[in-house]
Amino acid sequence: MMNPLLTLAFAPIPVPNNVPTLNPSPYFWLPVPASTMAQPIDDLFNYVMWVSVISCLLLMGLMIYFVTKYRAKSRKDEGTSSSDHHTGLELFWSIGPLPVLLAMFVWGFQGFVALRTTPKDAYEVHVTAQKWKWLFEYPNGYTDDVLHVPNGRKVRAVINAVDVLHSFFLPAFRTKIDAVPGRYTELWFEPTAPGTYPIFCAEYCGTGHSAMITKVVVHEAASFDKWLEDAGKAIDALPPEELGQKMYNQQGCSGCHSLDGSPKTGPSWKGLFGKSETMSDGSSVNVDENYIRESILDPQAKIVRGFGPVMPTFKGKLSDKKISGIIAFIKAQK
Ligand code: CUA
């Protein structure tokens, strides 16, 4: 029978429904390796771990052995030993571990420099973190809530956060960096195996932190450009209501606006269109196309009574077509 605490520790992490099965790891304690940096980092990890395990066993083993062997038989024996100092031994255990530890430093520093030096010819993707969504933007303007990258190509992610600190964590690529509001951070990786791998937020960012999960899809290099072009076209070809639904999920609307009538951080979209709402200043507004558009571009202009001025503006982030799509989607929530 497994200890209940252990059972809990090994319970699978709940993953939102839209994240498909991910590549299982061949290792017991490390995630599946899928970037050029994975092997060197795993090697260093294993080196540090085994040095620690061996030193620990050696120290504890010798200590227990000596404590038992040289135990004082009586009060008289205490402090009478003539061999309480041995210069040779002291030099041995001071200098002996030095190369082992220096190797950790040199090896680790090399890895750090390699991880933090972005190659010049890298393919660039923009990453936006917000409570509690990841959004990826491609050079052709295509946006997606899943990261897609070509296999065998160096990718540079330029990262920022809209609201609070988040952390962009790609365990399969062995890399992670904070997403900071008001500044850009970056990381790079070169995927080595097509497949799907998890992306986590690794910085506590509020009640939805544990659900701030998405995935990275590594495409075959030859088909990536074609995929990106098609994905961009497919978005443009969507009927307004479907485009609106996509934006609802992608742009983080779903974090604050429910579709079932329950109030969250913002008003629910169910039955919203055509409704008369009382604003925080007591005036009343009929929810029509213009009000929705204004609320997306200038959310603080008119706030429904009972809600806080917390919505970020989407000015410059959503095209007119996407805004019209969102309006169509809200209309459909009867
Ligand atoms: Cu975002 Cu934790």
Side-chain angles (χ1 to χ4, degrees), residues 132 134 165-167 201-205 209 212:
W132 289 283
W134 294 103
L165 275 180
H166 302 270
S167 186
C201 177
E203 178 73 57
Y204 182 70
C205 55
H209 161 71
M212 196 166 160

Side-chain angles (χ1 to χ4, degrees), residues 49-117:
M49 186 191 66
W50 287 115
V51 165
S52 308
V53 167
I54 292 167
S55 332
C56 177
L57 290 179
L58 200 69
L59 275 174
M60 292 303 128
L62 281 176
M63 193 182 77
I64 291 165
Y65 173 72
F66 288 149
V67 160
T68 321
K69 179 151 194 219
Y70 299 107
R71 196 168 80 92
K73 301 280 186 315
S74 73
R75 283 272 159 206
K76 283 200 313 244
D77 292 351
E78 276 177 27
T80 54
S81 169
S82 57
S83 57
D84 59 355
H85 187 82
H86 190 295
T87 310
L89 260 181
E90 221 163 276
L91 284 175
F92 169 73
W93 69 57
S94 301
I95 296 169
L98 193 65
V100 178
L101 298 177
L102 272 180
M104 267 181 213
F105 168 74
V106 173
W107 197 349
F109 188 70
Q110 281 172 345
F112 174 79
V113 170
L115 265 178
R116 288 286 167 253
T117 313

Side-chain angles (χ1 to χ4, degrees), residues 272-275 285-293 327:
L272 182 64
F273 195 85
K275 202 167 146 189
V285 163
N286 185 39
V287 179
D288 59 6
E289 284 90 349
N290 283 317
Y291 174 69
I292 296 172
R293 192 186 156 80
I327 294 170

